[in-house]
Amino acid sequence: MKVWPVSELVTYGFNAEDARMENGGKHLKPEDYHEAMKDPNAVMIDVRNYNESLIGKFAPPGIEVLDPKMRKSTEFPQWVKNNKSKLEGKKILMYCTGGIRCERASAFLT
């Protein structure tokens, strides 16, 4: 087994100043998240990696989920740039597996 120090758990490839953690998204209780999914002005982003997203989505049928299909988290900033028109003026909901990726990605979007 190897252990080594890292500066961040998930590397998105952007500067920490461009995604300050205190600017991250608002945490919602599960029932509030489910209610927010019904908002026609909301978009959901699956920030898990491509293999995880193949397993299934955390959204009920009929709710569109934007899937960056990332092999590596460092692809997220470019995906945001390429999909800016889908995100502008929208309420953005995110999900991942453990919360760390959502924390970093939501901080980047603010």
Side-chain angles (χ1 to χ4, degrees), residues 43-47 66 68 76 79 87 92-95 109:
V43 294
M44 292 180 69
I45 303 174
D46 182 347
V47 293
L66 301 178
F76 186 70
W79 180 86
L87 305 175
I92 298 172
L93 303 170
M94 294 183 165
Y95 64 84
L109 289 176

Side-chain angles (χ1 to χ4, degrees), residues 27-63:
H27 294 218
L28 299 175
K29 294 179 183 176
E31 55 273 7
D32 295 334
Y33 191 90
H34 284 270
E35 192 61 34
M37 283 192 281
K38 298 175 188 174
D39 184 339
N41 194 44
V43 294
M44 292 180 69
I45 303 174
D46 182 347
V47 293
R48 299 175 299 160
N49 68 42
Y50 179 72
N51 292 330
E52 292 170 311
S53 68
L54 287 176
I55 295 169
K57 304 289 182 210
F58 291 113
I63 303 293

